[in-house]
């Protein structure tokens, strides 16, 4: 389980493969990808967050930009989107 005041994942990849994992961000969570063309072919560097049947709590804004991604899998209900507190 991890807790942050702010978290930015810029062209990185953070994964929580263990069921029951929890990530709490009391303010903003920002995921930044990098989609570009290299030698005429599309290229994407990650700005990715993976959850497997865990808990994600964000107290501020959740921002995904430049082809960033958030993956959710597992038997639990999908993430709740709404006010936290």
């Amino acid at each position: 389980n991890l807790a942050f005041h702010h978290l930015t994942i810029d062209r990185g990849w953070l994964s929580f493969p263990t069921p029951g994992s929890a990530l709490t961000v009391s303010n903003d969570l920002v995921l930044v990808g990098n989609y570009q063309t290299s030698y005429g072919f599309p290229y994407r560097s990650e700005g990715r967050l993976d959850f497997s049947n865990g808990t994600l709590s964000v107290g501020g804004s959740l921002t995904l930009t430049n082809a960033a991604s958030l993956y959710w899998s597992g038997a639990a209900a999908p993430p709740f989107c709404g006010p936290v507190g």
Side-chain angles (χ1 to χ4, degrees), residues 33-52:
N34 184 18
Y35 189 82
Q36 58 190 7
T37 302
S38 178
Y39 299 104
F41 296 98
Y43 170 78
R44 178 176 169 240
S45 60
E46 303 290 348
R48 178 173 169 167
L49 178 60
D50 292 355
F51 264 92
S52 178

Side-chain angles (χ1 to χ4, degrees), residues 8-12 30-37 42-48 62-71:
T8 298
I9 301 172
D10 189 346
R11 295 173 298 224
V30 179
L31 304 174
V32 181
N34 184 18
Y35 189 82
Q36 58 190 7
T37 302
Y43 170 78
R44 178 176 169 240
S45 60
E46 303 290 348
R48 178 173 169 167
L62 172 60
T63 304
L64 284 74
T65 185
N66 295 343
S69 53
L70 172 63
Y71 292 92

Side-chain angles (χ1 to χ4, degrees), residues 23-29 56-63 82-84:
L23 173 62
T24 301
V25 182
S26 57
N27 293 297
D28 297 339
L29 171 58
L56 172 62
S57 298
V58 180
S61 296
L62 172 60
T63 304
V84 176

